[in-house]
Amino acid sequence: MKTRQSTVLVTGGLGYIGSHVVPELLSRGWRVRVLDNYYRCDRAVAASIAELEDVEVVEGDVRYANAVEGATKGGEGVVHLAAVCINKSISDPTESLDVNMLGTQNVLDAAARAGVRRVVYASSASVYGNPTSLPMRESDPTAPITPYCIAKLAGEQLLSFYAQRSKMSWLALRFFNVYGPG
């Protein structure tokens, strides 16, 4: 049962989606630890998040297992948002797979070993590839076509792998285009 002292780790918590997720988690009574490498964040947004009560910001990268392990300790939940975007995956497939697949592996491994109860994973509707019919449905077959899409689908499969071997439950959100204020 969650208490006021329960902590959730948000990887990529200084990015666009994270900057909206962190305040929402706080409003629901969570303490939040953010793991972010500051690579693509808005520095003003990062500073405002770091100043929030019950938020701890840890500078680190999901590609480094030790950084992830340290940030995960004591956490009850993980919201895994850290990723390299789809366009970058085409120009630099190696970095994309390193961050989006091996980074996800590091997060899930650390979460399972730390006894994290729940992982929410930012997947992508791009796992479906080019739609064969519209509207698309969750039951449509997956057919990823870029390193980003491949890694996001692999992340979902890794979630299933870790959930079978631990007490961790999970939810993957297959985002389409994310936009809005900020």
Side-chain angles (χ1 to χ4, degrees):
M1 174 174 239
K2 181 176 87 61
T3 67
R4 179 65 178 133
Q5 295 303 310
S6 295
T7 299
V8 62
L9 170 65
V10 181
T11 68
L14 302 180
Y16 178 72
I17 296 172
S19 70
H20 293 278
V21 169
V22 169
E24 182 62 29
L25 289 167
L26 292 170
S27 76
R28 294 172 184 252
W30 290 94
R31 294 176 52 82
V32 177
R33 183 176 301 126
V34 171
L35 177 66
D36 201 292
N37 66 6
Y38 286 81
Y39 178 63
R40 293 190 50 143
C41 74
D42 178 316
R43 293 291 177 156
V45 171
S48 67
I49 288 173
E51 292 174 1
L52 295 171
E53 186 176 337
D54 290 327
V55 172
E56 172 190 4
V57 178
V58 176
E59 185 171 358
D61 194 304
V62 295
R63 292 177 284 188
Y64 303 107
N66 288 342
V68 176
E69 185 174 342
T72 306
K73 284 186 180 169
E76 187 172 325
V78 172
V79 178
H80 180 38
L81 304 174
V84 171
C85 67
I86 193 167
N87 292 337
K88 178 90 167 149
S89 84
I90 295 166
S91 65
D92 190 350
T94 300
E95 181 185 26
S96 178
L97 293 170
D98 196 26
V99 173
N100 297 341
M101 192 157 49
L102 296 177
T104 296
Q105 155 63 27
N106 289 337
V107 170
L108 300 180
D109 184 58
R113 285 187 288 110
V116 166
R117 291 180 27 199
R118 179 86 162 168
V119 174
V120 176
Y121 173 63
S123 186
S124 173
S126 66
V127 300
Y128 298 112
N130 294 322
T132 55
S133 64
L134 293 174
M136 294 172 67
R137 296 182 179 12
E138 286 186 48
S139 58
D140 287 351
T142 55
I145 58 175
T146 70
Y148 174 87
C149 312
I150 292 164
K152 287 299 184 177
L153 185 57
E156 292 181 27
Q157 294 166 337
L158 284 168
L159 281 162
S160 180
F161 170 81
Y162 278 101
Q164 292 172 20
R165 286 154 180 77
S166 68
K167 294 180 182 180
M168 183 172 64
S169 66
W170 61 276
L171 174 68
L173 303 172
R174 289 180 174 170
F175 295 119
F176 280 75
N177 295 326
V178 179
Y179 69 97

